[in-house]
Amino acid sequence: MVKKNFTQISSLGEFGLINKLTSDIRPKHKSTIMGIGDDSAVLGQGGKEGRLIASDMLVESVHFDPTYTPLKHLGYKSIVVNISDICSMNGVATHATVSLGIPNKYSVEHITELYSGIKMACKNYNIDLVGGDTTSSSTGLIISITIIGEAQAKDITYRGGAKPNDIVFVSGDLGAAYLGLQILEREKQIFNKSHSQPELENYQYLLERQLKPEARVDVIELLGKINITPTSMIDISDGLSSDLAHICNASKTGFKLFEEQLPISLEARTTCKELRISPAVCALHGGEDYELLFTVSPKDYKKIEQQKQVKAIGHIAEICNFELVREDKSAIDLKSEGWDSFLSSK
Ligand code: ADP
Ligand code: MG
């Protein structure tokens, strides 16, 4: 309960709160090249290399539901979502710390299982786990991870570098992780009512996208190989429209996207039909795909247009409009409606 005269956090939202808390913070050290405001902080010593640091926290009942989230997958995902923030700076993740708040309903076996996923992700992505903290929690399980990475200073991409006419690219496909969550929620409700076993066979791809995402290090490698430094980049955690809005707000630009260009898997389209939701709405507003969204200067377009891992979906606009051109060629004004943990009743 928030007392009279106090402000509900939900009235500001997650980003409004971060802004209120941090807008007066000014870096004191020359080595702070980028502080608050991007996917990772960037530290440097004036040399050619930059150090990247990012944190992400997963909280029980906010970010995951323990009734349908295998602990091993949860551990794996908690590392992967952090690596994704280093990827979105065009860097390589190298080290991590893991801090846990553990409620007493979890056993040693449970936490060992969680850790087996953490270790598997560290092995697959070549990360050294170098520390952390462990404490009890009076509410749910809390997993807080800090990740450290590195990049050549000249290669680091920020949210604020997009220029009008740059081409907007996205890797992989969109909306599947959101649909995976809808299926898990639906089966949970059916189970709670009738105790019938969940029917999940037809949704393997969507469930994997939700429960065991991967960070697109392959796309970072591709960009290096074809010699492209994006003008801006972010990973899609909140949803395409919301994360592209972050790029545009930081770059003081707008965007124009084309619905027919949005990459949506066959599995996602089939399930959209079943659930009677629009595939474009899932691709635009569904979060947690952990794909990379980036902008490329028109002069680099030829170098990347044939690459299968990424797709051009629109371009950056001069005016700060967020526009979607529908399949019937009509244009609509897009409000950012991605996922915000303080506005979850939306
Ligand atoms: P992402 O979605 O990539 O994880 P966030 O939206 O969580 O990024 O954070 C946006 C920016 O605000 C980042 O630079 C992050 O480090 C910073 N930030 C988030 N929470 C806090 C906080 N409590 N104090 C200081 N900085 C914060
Ligand atoms: Mg991010």
Side-chain angles (χ1 to χ4, degrees):
M1 264 294 278
V2 174
K3 285 194 188 141
K4 251 191 18 220
N5 302 329
F6 285 86
T7 314
Q8 294 272 0
I9 288 177
S10 59
S11 70
L12 293 181
E14 180 183 337
F15 303 123
L17 179 66
I18 294 172
N19 196 36
K20 183 172 171 50
L21 296 175
T22 62
S23 58
D24 61 347
I25 294 176
R26 304 276 175 273
K28 290 178 276 299
H29 297 280
K30 253 205 188 137
S31 53
T32 308
I33 296 169
M34 168 56 79
I36 293 159
D38 218 301
D39 290 284
S40 305
V42 180
L43 311 187
Q45 298 295 346
K48 285 190 183 151
E49 303 213 324
R51 187 80 42 228
L52 307 169
I53 303 177
S55 291
D56 241 323
M57 185 153 58
L58 296 181
V59 176
E60 181 174 331
S61 306
V62 179
H63 299 98
F64 63 91
D65 183 329
T67 56
Y68 56 67
T69 310
L71 285 164
K72 189 171 178 178
H73 287 64
L74 181 62
Y76 193 88
K77 179 171 177 175
S78 65
I79 292 286
V80 162
V81 301
N82 277 274
I83 296 172
S84 183
D85 274 328
I86 299 292
C87 288
S88 59
M89 305 301 288
N90 206 17
V92 176
T94 53
H95 302 79
T97 64
V98 175
S99 299
L100 302 175
I102 308 171
N104 57 18
K105 66 181 177 188
Y106 285 83
S107 65
V108 172
E109 287 75 15
H110 286 132
I111 301 302
T112 306
E113 186 67 8
L114 174 80
Y115 239 80
S116 70
I118 289 177
K119 286 178 183 168
M120 185 189 275
C122 288
K123 179 164 176 264
N124 290 357
Y125 288 92
N126 200 25
I127 307 287
D128 285 341
L129 211 172
V130 292
D133 197 16
T134 304
T135 178
S136 58
S137 162
S138 56
T139 51
L141 179 63
I142 298 168
I143 308 162
S144 174
I145 290 180
T146 294
I147 193 118
I148 295 169
E150 57 194 27
Q152 294 291 312
K154 66 172 178 38
D155 296 334
I156 297 175
T157 52
Y158 296 94
R159 293 179 180 181
K163 299 270 181 309
N165 300 321
D166 284 356
I167 324 294
V168 178
F169 278 87
V170 70
S171 63
D173 59 73
L174 300 176
Y178 169 79
L179 288 163
L181 184 62
Q182 301 314 302
I183 295 299
L184 288 166
E185 287 286 341
R186 181 183 75 178
E187 295 303 315
K188 180 184 171 180
Q189 272 166 25
I190 294 172
F191 181 80
N192 285 344
K193 268 196 204 128
S194 63
H195 285 269
S196 62
Q197 280 309 304
E199 287 176 26
L200 299 173
E201 301 83 59
N202 295 334
Y203 307 104
Q204 285 310 323
Y205 179 67
L206 307 181
L207 297 177
E208 196 164 302
R209 294 283 283 165
Q210 168 58 223
L211 295 173
K212 192 173 171 286
E214 301 288 353
R216 296 306 304 261
V217 288
D218 60 316
V219 173
I220 300 307
E221 284 163 14
L222 169 75
L223 291 170
K225 208 172 79 191
I226 61 176
N227 205 12
I228 283 188
T229 304
T231 52
S232 70
M233 184 147 58
I234 192 168
D235 64 325
I236 300 187
S237 51
D238 296 331
L240 170 62
S241 65
S242 174
D243 288 315
L244 189 51
H246 286 318
I247 283 186
C248 288
N249 291 335
S251 304
K252 302 194 170 49
T253 59
F255 64 73
K256 189 171 193 171
L257 293 183
F258 296 90
E259 181 179 1
E260 62 190 11
Q261 297 296 110
L262 297 175
I264 303 168
S265 66
L266 186 61
E267 292 88 338
R269 286 190 190 278
T270 309
T271 303
C272 279
K273 218 178 242 165
E274 184 192 337
L275 301 182
R276 298 211 176 93
I277 38 184
S278 144
V281 168
C282 289
L284 285 164
H285 304 309
E288 294 199 289
D289 288 311
Y290 297 101
E291 295 295 343
L292 291 173
L293 175 69
F294 57 96
T295 56
V296 166
S297 161
K299 74 174 168 38
D300 284 336
Y301 181 67
K302 279 255 162 311
K303 289 199 269 183
I304 191 170
E305 65 172 335
Q306 301 295 342
Q307 301 298 331
K308 295 268 181 303
Q309 286 133 290
V310 298
K311 190 168 181 205
I313 56 171
H315 57 81
I316 295 294
E318 192 128 12
I319 313 162
C320 295
N321 283 344
F322 297 167
E323 197 182 5
L324 176 75
V325 178
R326 304 290 313 271
E327 278 169 358
D328 64 8
K329 306 290 175 233
S330 63
I332 54 169
D333 186 16
L334 271 188
K335 299 274 168 291
S336 95
E337 285 173 14
W339 195 83
D340 180 323
S341 54
F342 290 112
L343 301 170
S344 49
S345 58
K346 213 170 39 176

